[in-house]
Amino acid sequence: MDKKLLDILVCPLCKSKLTYNRKGSELICKADRLGFPIRDGIPVMLEDEARKLPADEDIE
Amino acid sequence: MTNTAHNIQPQTPNYDVIKTKQQIAWGSGDYSRVGVTLQISGEQLCEAMDLHAGQSVLDVAGGNGNASLAAARRFCKVISTDYVPTLLAHSQRRAEADGLAIEYQQADAEALPFSDNSFDNVISTFGVMFTPNQSQAASELIRVCKPGGKIGMANWTPGGFIGELFKIIGQYISPPSGVNSPSTWGTTTFLENNFGPHTAQIKSESRHFTFRYQSPQHWLDLFATYYGPLLKTFESLDESTGAKLSTDVLNLIQRFNKADDGTMVVPSEYLEIVAVK
């Protein structure tokens, strides 16, 4: 994930910064506990497509 | 995280449901087959915006990439977005074929995943105008544009060929209540109301894109097969009503057609907008 791109990417809902989870190939919004998938190199920044992170999943 | 604005007015349309239907409509058929003919409008917009190499450009609802490719050809740093993945994939193949670097994101024009003031230029050709929540989409375009940056759009006007086509389609399928026609985006009133308070300058110019097809029937066949919104309309009608829609569309083409050799040469008016934030 390009560093400059990550700098301007935010959660489409709450507009807070995202973290890149390299292992899961996801962009994580800690505030909303959502994981936005990256498919074929294209981040899918849609609420409907995001994974809801279970309460017991650690976010790093 | 939820958009409470949905609950304020009882008349507020359910935008999520409308958007899901739209996403399916635009994903059906193969918009790229007809969308690619509109390439010149993307090139024209980039010239009207006076893009400079190296500037950042966000293409919103960029579809098969006409405006994105045009900006990338001017050595801008382009991010292209759409909520239909098949359109982005088509755009990506075009960019690869031309050796152009474009970043892609699947995103909703009404909920852009970018920080405030991120881009030198925010553009959309015949894209954002189709979002159901028009004022929300307008405010997102402004939000992600840098102060002093430009917002550039190409939007079909209500009185042009495509604007008239929307009116005909609306006679066969009622648009969702509370949702304005997409061609509202092609009026200066809409721009003044939605961009005016947040921009330093708005320039708009009436332009025409010319549909050049083998015949009116050729246009209808391609659009009924590949243009999701028209395809979905035909699918929802029984045979005799569908035939009536075909006749209405062919009559509309005849009204605008400038060719007298059996082919179709139909200029369709659109509003080209360049606003400075």
Side-chain angles (χ1 to χ4, degrees):
Chain A
M1 183 103 242
D2 182 59
K3 167 86 175 64
K4 273 189 186 156
L5 187 57
L6 199 54
D7 282 347
I8 57 166
L9 261 185
V10 298
C11 171
L13 307 175
C14 71
K15 314 295 186 196
S16 63
K17 290 274 177 197
L18 301 170
T19 54
Y20 175 44
N21 172 0
R22 188 186 304 266
K23 212 168 64 184
S25 197
E26 272 184 340
L27 291 155
I28 306 286
C29 172
K30 290 180 184 177
D32 286 326
R33 297 195 64 84
L34 289 173
F36 296 94
I38 300 175
R39 292 185 195 135
D40 302 326
I42 298 180
V44 181
M45 307 305 293
L46 302 173
E47 182 184 6
D48 292 351
E49 306 271 338
R51 183 173 70 94
K52 290 188 176 60
L53 305 185
D56 59 353
E57 183 170 322
D58 288 337
I59 303 175
E60 252 335 299
Chain B
M1 63 172 260
T2 51
N3 186 351
T4 51
H6 287 189
N7 304 324
I8 293 170
Q9 296 166 337
Q11 297 298 316
T12 304
N14 188 334
Y15 292 121
D16 291 341
V17 172
I18 298 165
K19 253 188 289 189
T20 304
K21 280 188 186 165
Q22 278 190 337
Q23 195 178 5
I24 292 165
W26 286 106
S28 67
D30 182 358
Y31 174 72
S32 306
R33 293 288 293 268
V34 292
V36 75
T37 65
L38 296 161
Q39 179 61 40
I40 195 171
S41 309
E43 305 287 345
Q44 167 60 41
L45 179 65
C46 289
E47 284 307 303
M49 292 181 76
D50 187 28
L51 293 185
H52 287 205
Q55 288 180 339
S56 57
V57 173
L58 176 69
D59 188 1
V60 184
N64 66 313
N66 291 339
S68 298
L69 290 157
R73 283 187 192 118
R74 289 158 177 83
F75 302 98
C76 291
K77 292 174 284 186
V78 182
I79 297 181
S80 193
T81 63
D82 203 283
Y83 64 177
V84 180
T86 49
L87 292 178
L88 288 182
H90 185 89
S91 173
Q92 203 167 22
R93 289 197 297 276
R94 295 177 74 193
E96 280 163 13
D98 279 0
L100 300 169
I102 296 176
E103 296 269 358
Y104 290 93
Q105 307 257 328
Q106 206 182 328
D108 175 356
E110 295 173 7
L112 291 173
F114 303 102
S115 313
D116 299 358
N117 312 321
S118 289
F119 297 94
D120 299 313
N121 302 280
V122 180
I123 60 177
S124 187
T125 52
F126 315 117
V128 169
M129 65 176 294
F130 292 98
T131 57
N133 190 343
Q134 299 182 330
S135 56
Q136 172 63 22
S139 73
E140 280 292 84
L141 297 182
I142 295 162
R143 183 182 66 78
V144 301
C145 184
K146 287 180 185 172
K150 290 176 189 166
I151 299 159
M153 300 184 85
N155 298 329
W156 301 118
T157 57
F161 169 65
I162 293 291
E164 293 291 342
L165 177 72
F166 295 155
K167 286 176 206 163
I168 289 176
I169 291 174
Q171 289 164 14
Y172 289 84
I173 290 190
S174 304
S177 99
V179 173
N180 292 328
S181 167
S183 61
T184 306
W185 274 93
T187 65
T188 50
T189 311
F190 177 85
L191 298 170
E192 279 158 19
N193 290 341
N194 287 275
F195 284 176
H198 314 285
T199 51
Q201 186 192 67
I202 305 174
K203 275 190 197 165
S204 59
E205 194 161 336
S206 162
R207 292 198 182 276
H208 291 81
F209 169 79
T210 304
F211 289 92
R212 294 177 187 273
Y213 281 70
Q214 292 162 8
S215 64
Q217 188 65 46
H218 177 223
W219 186 94
L220 180 60
D221 289 346
L222 281 186
F223 271 68
T225 308
Y226 297 119
Y227 187 64
L230 201 53
L231 166 68
K232 286 278 161 196
T233 306
F234 274 112
E235 276 179 4
S236 73
L237 304 175
D238 60 47
E239 205 175 318
S240 65
T241 319
K244 197 167 169 295
L245 172 59
S246 293
T247 305
D248 285 354
V249 173
L250 289 171
N251 286 341
L252 176 72
I253 295 173
Q254 195 175 3
R255 185 147 73 83
F256 280 89
N257 200 359
K258 288 186 153 181
D260 55 10
D261 57 358
T263 70
M264 169 173 164
V265 177
V266 167
S268 185
E269 188 192 38
Y270 68 94
L271 200 63
E272 184 182 77
I273 299 133
V274 179
V276 180
K277 182 174 167 184

